[in-house]
Amino acid sequence: MTDRRWAWVEVDLDAVRHNVRTLRSLIPSNTAFMAVVKADAYGHGAVSVARAAVEEGVEWLGVATVDEALELRTSGIAAPILMFSEPPVSAIPELLENRVVPTVFSTEFVDALSAAASARGVTAPVHLKVDTGMHRIGVAPDHAVAFARRIVESPGLELGGVFTHFATADVEGDADAALQLERFCAVTRAMREADIDPGVVHAANSAATILIPAAAFDMVRVGISLYGLEAFPGSVKRAGTRPVMSVKSRAISSRRVEEGEGVGYGLTWRAPAAATILTLPLGYADGVHRLSSNRMEVLVDGVRARQVGRVCMDQLMVLCPDSSNAGPGTECVLVGAQGEDGISCSEAAAWAETIDYELACAFGARLERVYLG
Ligand SMILES: *Cc1c(COP(=O)(O)O)cnc(C)c1O
């Protein structure tokens, strides 16, 4: 299955199912679960992850773009899909044809959508985004009731939901997250007082699902924790999730270098003594950030081996541990377990001065995926 290239990502779909179950146990039984599969399921493969999650009973899928929604529909996935932003008006026909629920926050878009839906004789559900403090997208709390009324009074529209997004849910007990929650509650309360049914009320990302029980409302939107990655330091342990992604490679070459010889572009690492260098066929175009050059480690025969020299676009070099007689064909692990040891995505992210989210997406860019479970 990996015959054409000795570098690949393993995706454990049993771990996805486990994570859905364990995360669901944190929320009330009548709260729906949205699996966030944007960015090709954070690099894990949107269609396969979405299928596994839907099999496990998730009610909703979340995406960032129209194309991501269409990929799911083209693959025959029928579950409700919320798109987390408002696309250009020109995308409206595709939204309607494919039953993609848009997030809305502009009057121009809702008016155009209502007209297009009416012309087709349908009613399009939308979710209204409220900006309670993140200041990215959404209507201001002061305008939310009037905006909701405009939706409710539009002949082609239905207010399917009202939601917000936290800027600091990953910090336990954070005052700004509490303020956002308070503002959001005030908005939904004001809607109900104005006799407007807000539909599905939702606010929680992974961090809030774990840390802020009061933010569960009618649905939680879980991304990073679905993949068993860290929403905040300690979240994996706290929620009991399992990592879904491993990144593996087989050495394609091995060579002896003498003391003082350099390795890779710029010869940025020189052998302090004669050494064996293993070459792995993956590089920064596969998500191994160049910033991790000469910092990262790789598991070889269950032992940590130092990566040496600059990470290239398609290859990287590793100092073969003295205890190992690894050579061409030896399986090495960049993220995941081998023997008694393991390298977490967080650890690898730290070598690249980034976070799990970005690293997982990066590994998903070019590497072939192998699905387990
Ligand atoms: C990406 C995203 C999520 C999921 O966030 P995680 O931290 O990965 O759980 C939820 N809601 C919105 C609006 C998002 O953009």
Side-chain angles (χ1 to χ4, degrees), residues 34 36 38 42 63-64 84 129 136-137 163-165 203-207 209 221-227 231 357:
M34 173 188 283
V36 178
K38 65 190 180 187
Y42 296 38
V63 299
F84 290 148
K129 181 77 179 275
R136 183 170 68 175
I137 53 171
F163 76 109
T164 193
H165 191 59
N205 57 2
S206 296
T209 301
R221 307 185 304 266
V222 179
I224 198 77
S225 293
L226 181 65
Y227 307 103
Y357 294 76

Side-chain angles (χ1 to χ4, degrees), residues 114-131:
S114 175
S118 298
R120 283 164 190 255
V122 297
T123 311
V126 297
H127 284 213
L128 169 57
K129 181 77 179 275
V130 184
D131 176 11

Side-chain angles (χ1 to χ4, degrees), residues 301-317:
D301 286 333
V303 215
R304 278 170 186 256
R306 285 183 55 201
Q307 187 279 326
V308 292
R310 283 193 184 135
V311 172
C312 314
M313 186 184 287
D314 318 299
Q315 298 174 76
L316 58 83
M317 282 68 83

